Amino acid sequence: MLLVLCSVVIVAGFFLLASRRLKIVPGRVQFAAELAYEFPRNTIAREQIGTGEFRRFVPLILALFSFVLVNNLFGLIPVLQFPTMARIGFPLALAVLVVYPVYHYAGVRKYGVGGYLKRTLFPAGAPKPVYLLLTPIELALKFALDPALLAIRVFAAMFAGHLILMVFTVSGEFLLLHAGAVAKPVSLVSFAFAILMTFVEALIQVIQAYVFALLSANYIGAALAGEH
């Protein structure tokens, strides 16, 4: 919980500081904030939701991307060294309490309850007998599995990466301090893999933040689309 609170302070503080005195020729902090804003805006929100309706969802996508990214990167910071999203409750709360109601609300607001359910559960163009199989699948996906899978993706990646780093680090420490003289040199191999996996984990942490925001925008775009 402390890490989550810290991430909120970090994200909010960064954007407030960067936007306090905006200039036509940006300084380093403003330039970094503009890059952090333009990436989820143009690469994620506009591409997945569409140019006509993406603007009102940009704050949400930006917040999701920034929040998940900072909490993932906590896993690389000495002393902390734990990605918050490796606790299933946090990504599940984001998926179920934030993303899930937003994309359903967006669809219902645009098409009405009946129109949204018709577009969601009875995709246009399918033969009528196919709906006997397709409609239950769409119902399970849109109202149960999609938010669960959204949470599990980032949780599984962060949890697995954290365990891998821990295994190599603890193994290297054990071999160095408690194994026999013959096995001690092997600890260097374990530590080397721990360092290598740290860089791999950093890449995965960024990718998972991107994937979480991307899929969130994709769900919103699908809810607003005329046909599925």
Side-chain angles (χ1 to χ4, degrees):
M1 290 301 297
L2 180 60
L3 291 179
V4 169
L5 292 175
C6 288
S7 69
V8 173
V9 173
I10 291 171
V11 173
F14 170 71
F15 284 108
L16 287 173
L17 178 64
S19 61
R20 185 175 56 178
R21 296 178 180 177
L22 296 176
K23 300 178 181 179
I24 297 178
V25 180
R28 286 178 294 180
V29 177
Q30 181 182 334
F31 180 72
E34 288 177 357
L35 287 179
Y37 169 77
E38 289 176 1
F39 176 72
R41 179 188 186 276
N42 298 328
T43 306
I44 300 177
R46 183 162 61 183
E47 292 292 330
Q48 296 299 319
I49 300 174
T51 56
E53 303 189 68
F54 80 98
R55 288 179 179 83
R56 58 195 171 107
F57 297 102
V58 170
L60 173 65
I61 302 304
L62 173 62
L64 289 173
F65 175 74
S66 304
F67 180 76
V68 174
L69 178 62
V70 171
N71 279 282
N72 286 350
L73 292 177
F74 281 148
L76 300 179
I77 298 176
V79 181
L80 301 179
Q81 291 180 316
F82 192 90
T84 313
M85 295 300 153
R87 296 275 187 174
I88 184 61
F90 293 111
L92 193 61
L94 285 179
V96 175
L97 300 181
V98 179
V99 179
Y100 180 82
V102 166
Y103 72 77
H104 284 309
Y105 172 75
V108 170
R109 182 180 178 183
K110 182 173 181 179
Y111 298 110
V113 176
Y116 175 64
L117 290 177
K118 180 180 179 181
R119 286 173 166 80
T120 301
L121 302 181
F122 300 93
K128 291 184 178 180
V130 175
Y131 288 129
L132 295 174
L133 177 62
L134 185 60
T135 298
I137 293 175
E138 290 294 328
L139 178 65
L141 283 174
K142 295 299 187 297
F143 293 93
L145 295 180
D146 278 352
L149 293 174
L150 179 64
I152 290 172
R153 279 186 180 92
V154 64
F155 158 73
M158 293 302 97
F159 185 71
H162 184 66
L163 285 182
I164 290 172
L165 292 178
M166 184 179 67
V167 166
F168 282 118
T169 303
V170 173
S171 299
E173 180 187 16
F174 176 81
L175 291 171
L176 181 64
L177 300 179
H178 304 288
V182 177
K184 286 184 183 296
V186 183
S187 65
L188 298 177
V189 178
S190 185
F191 285 132
F193 272 101
I195 295 172
L196 176 63
M197 291 306 301
T198 298
F199 289 101
V200 174
E201 181 66 6
L203 177 61
I204 293 174
Q205 288 167 349
V206 176
I207 291 175
Q208 286 302 316
Y210 167 73
V211 169
F212 192 93
L214 181 74
L215 290 176
S216 300
N218 179 264
Y219 294 160
I220 295 172
L224 295 173
E227 296 182 356
H228 297 274

